[in-house]
Amino acid sequence: MGEREDKLFIEVAKVYERIEATTGRLEMIDYLKKLFLETPPDVLDKVVYLTLGSIAPAYEGIELGVGEKLLLKALSMATGISQDKLEKKYPEIGDIGKLAEWSVENKVAQSFFQEDLTVNNVFDTLLKVSQATGDKAQDMKIRLLAGLFSDSKPLEARYIARIVTERLRLGVRDMTILDALAEAFLKGRAFRDQLERKYNIFPDIGKIAKIVAAKGFEGLDEIKITLGIPVRPMLAQRLRSAQEIMDKIGPRIFAEFKYDGERMQIHVWKDGSVKIFSRRLENITEPYPDVREFAARAAKGHEVIFDGETVAVNPDTGEILPFQELMHRRRKYGVEEAMASYPTVTYVFDILYLDGREMLDDPLEDRRTHLLKLLREEGGENEKVRVVEYEVIEGNVNELERFFEYAVERGTEGLVVKDPRSQYQAGTRGWSWIKLKRSYISKMIEPVDLVVVGAFWGKGKRAGTYGALLMAAYSPEEDAFKTVCKMGSGFTDEELASLPELLGPYKIEHRHPSVVSNLEADVWFVPQKVAQVLGDEITLSPTHTCGWGRIKEDAGLAIRFPRFMGWREDKGPQDATSEEEIVEMYKEQLKTVSDVTEVESSTSGDKS
Ligand code: AMP
């Protein structure tokens, strides 16, 4: 049996010391290049992970996270210096790595069988540290680390201490490693781009290092999209107007809803197992058992990687809820309860892989065809995993603007406009995806009083009652009621249940002649009942008739995210908020935000 290939850790530590001392990027790459060339390919993956201050690719989310206290205990055990003394010395030295170095230098305990540390020793021990669980985990970690420190030379101790406390901070990042790998094994620049493309679809940089070290550029062919390993997501550029977007990538475009939820890359195996990765490649499978289940069903036994956005919805009306609602799902405990209160729908906008085939280089249009076939074929598209809502537009800017307004009114952030001929550029903010967002967020502070003119039947919990009411403002000039929103939120369960009875007396067979509506309600009413409604803001709308043509040709105004605040028994329909007032509120809103260029709506760390 051959010896396991290995490398002395002190050699690695010496390179770290040099890297730490340099400020030049090229010099840093050069040190890394030499280190990689002098490392047997067998352990190169481990050297790469350690250099990045870890023991696995970032997306595995393995935490070393050894606390200072624990580290001091291990040092004390290894060196014979009392913990007390170490604790006093620490603030004086100020750095955990240097403290470890000092303590090994000044150790009082003698170790008789000191062995030279190797990369395998260090790595494997750190792996055990990260895996230790249960009651004895702390003791176990202390002993493991003490073992390492008693074999360490002072310089080795410096870096081991920094790595386990996740403070290595050499300033080496994945891109630097790629540069060094290209220099070392791929004839310099020649294959650098290709290497990065591989990294974008297979961001396990340790494995990549091992492959190119062993096989050079021919090894690149082996690196493929792999279920369970996240592809780095494609991101969108942004432009300010529909016209600019049309000029840039038109005339033929896909205009897609831009949902404000959580980006999800969903990997589905043949047997229905599922893994979900976030935009930052974290594994977020746990908090989304529902997405898991529905994605497996949607894949129907195929191996597939979906790219999409998951949003929280109102289960009974299907309304998309604001981003904050979804974040309740990210908490660690009570997944079941959170799932019931905040059900989700996943809108899939791309497919990256299907049954062994990488699809990134196919035009978006072809990928979409596959997606539609898979999700919409019989028994296919279920309610929880859907194809993104989109329109194919050919050169018509007005149509793009109208679709944008419609998307905003429906509770989305706007559109992502895509070039149907484009490839999926993993890990890139490409110009073939351009977002068109609402340019401001404003709060409607005042509630309005609106008249119920119609209703839509509910589903789920709301079967048998109404899922949403069609609400209108009043125009005294025309003596007409003009719709301004569909309202399905803010009701208590009792209020909901009582709706058919409460509104029964006003029910009629057809739209009331004084009601101006583009929407076909399931049930129509004589305009009578007035409700107080609070929304988030007023937006342009291609659907609602209130203020039609007042702000913009072929557009009305809508209240976004309307919530029921209570009935206004004291008001008759003619006392409702007027069309004119809504128009004024819209203008007012524009004024107060006109100098705010952009306020991102999301607070998630996951968003750029
Ligand atoms: P932003 O976070 O503003 O940079 O916008 C990009 C993000 O929008 C993506 O990372 C997705 O999470 C999200 N998104 C929502 N809908 C879409 C869509 N139809 N296509 C692409 N990205 C989308």
Side-chain angles (χ1 to χ4, degrees), residues 129-404:
V129 168
S130 77
Q131 288 167 342
T133 49
D135 305 344
K136 298 267 157 59
Q138 299 294 316
D139 286 349
M140 173 92 137
K141 288 182 191 192
I142 294 171
R143 259 182 289 120
L144 285 164
L145 290 172
L148 270 187
F149 286 127
S150 33
D151 284 337
S152 295
K153 298 179 180 62
L155 191 66
E156 292 174 317
R158 182 201 293 181
Y159 294 108
I160 292 171
R162 286 190 190 157
I163 291 171
V164 294
T165 53
E166 297 183 340
R167 282 178 227 167
L168 181 62
R169 294 181 198 146
L170 290 177
V172 174
R173 276 173 317 190
D174 287 16
M175 289 302 144
T176 333
I177 302 266
L178 290 182
D179 285 331
L181 287 174
E183 297 281 340
F185 307 111
L186 300 175
K187 309 180 185 158
R189 297 265 103 197
F191 290 90
R192 175 65 175 75
D193 287 351
Q194 223 174 310
L195 183 68
E196 186 166 335
R197 252 180 279 140
K198 291 298 183 181
Y199 167 76
N200 283 333
I201 62 162
F202 188 100
D204 182 340
I205 199 157
K207 280 234 179 69
I208 291 184
K210 203 167 175 166
I211 293 174
V212 295
K215 305 191 179 159
F217 67 89
E218 283 172 0
L220 289 176
D221 290 339
E222 278 178 29
I223 303 168
K224 296 201 161 75
I225 293 186
T226 308
L227 285 183
I229 296 180
V231 173
R232 299 184 67 221
M234 175 160 176
L235 300 172
Q237 288 286 358
R238 122 169 248 170
L239 284 173
R240 275 189 312 277
S241 73
Q243 185 64 56
E244 283 175 89
I245 294 181
M246 198 54 100
D247 293 345
K248 185 97 188 166
I249 55 173
R252 188 155 174 282
I253 52 169
F254 281 8
E256 305 181 355
F257 274 22
K258 183 178 192 302
Y259 303 92
D260 189 14
E262 173 146 39
R263 180 82 174 258
M264 285 194 187
Q265 191 180 102
I266 309 175
H267 293 220
V268 190
W269 279 260
K270 271 203 172 62
D271 66 359
S273 353
V274 171
K275 242 186 206 176
I276 309 174
F277 296 100
S278 75
R279 165 175 173 156
R280 287 187 307 177
L281 312 187
E282 304 150 287
N283 185 334
I284 49 165
T285 316
E286 277 312 307
Y288 295 104
D290 45 349
V291 178
R292 214 150 70 203
E293 179 189 334
F294 292 115
R297 199 179 301 164
K300 292 187 287 307
H302 292 280
E303 278 189 341
V304 46
I305 300 179
F306 293 123
D307 191 2
E309 185 93 354
T310 294
V311 292
V313 293
N314 178 324
D316 309 311
T317 62
E319 284 168 291
I320 295 171
L321 299 177
F323 170 75
Q324 287 75 12
E325 301 291 322
L326 183 73
M327 284 303 104
H328 296 288
R329 293 294 298 275
R330 275 287 207 124
R331 62 184 186 208
K332 286 222 165 88
Y333 307 100
V335 168
E336 290 296 320
E337 297 84 70
M339 198 162 78
S341 324
Y342 305 96
T344 62
V345 169
T346 302
Y347 288 95
V348 179
F349 47 75
D350 227 309
I351 180 167
L352 312 186
Y353 173 92
L354 181 63
D355 297 325
R357 207 166 88 70
E358 294 186 0
M359 314 193 78
L360 303 196
D361 293 343
D362 299 358
L364 170 62
E365 198 153 17
D366 296 356
R367 301 201 301 276
R368 185 59 51 87
T369 308
H370 280 284
L371 196 59
L372 289 169
K373 189 157 170 284
L374 188 63
L375 291 185
R376 291 208 178 140
E377 76 190 4
E378 224 193 310
E381 189 169 35
N382 62 42
E383 286 190 6
K384 310 292 185 173
V385 176
R386 303 181 197 167
V387 178
V388 59
E389 191 157 337
Y390 76 111
E391 243 176 43
V392 187
I393 294 174
E394 311 231 10
N396 187 332
V397 175
N398 291 338
E399 209 174 308
L400 179 56
E401 283 178 353
R402 186 196 48 77
F403 194 61
F404 170 75

Side-chain angles (χ1 to χ4, degrees), residues 503-559:
L503 293 165
Y506 311 107
K507 203 164 153 182
I508 44 175
E509 288 305 310
H510 48 78
R511 182 173 51 76
H512 191 271
S514 65
V515 170
V516 186
S517 172
N518 289 330
L519 287 170
E520 245 340 286
D522 295 333
V523 180
W524 292 106
F525 303 111
V526 179
Q528 186 62 47
K529 280 299 271 183
V530 178
Q532 191 177 56
V533 180
L534 185 63
D536 271 9
E537 67 179 305
I538 301 173
T539 64
L540 285 170
S541 161
T543 316
H544 290 287
T545 52
C546 177
W548 193 262
R550 291 287 302 277
I551 304 291
K552 186 171 170 248
E553 207 184 326
D554 289 331
L557 294 173
I559 293 176

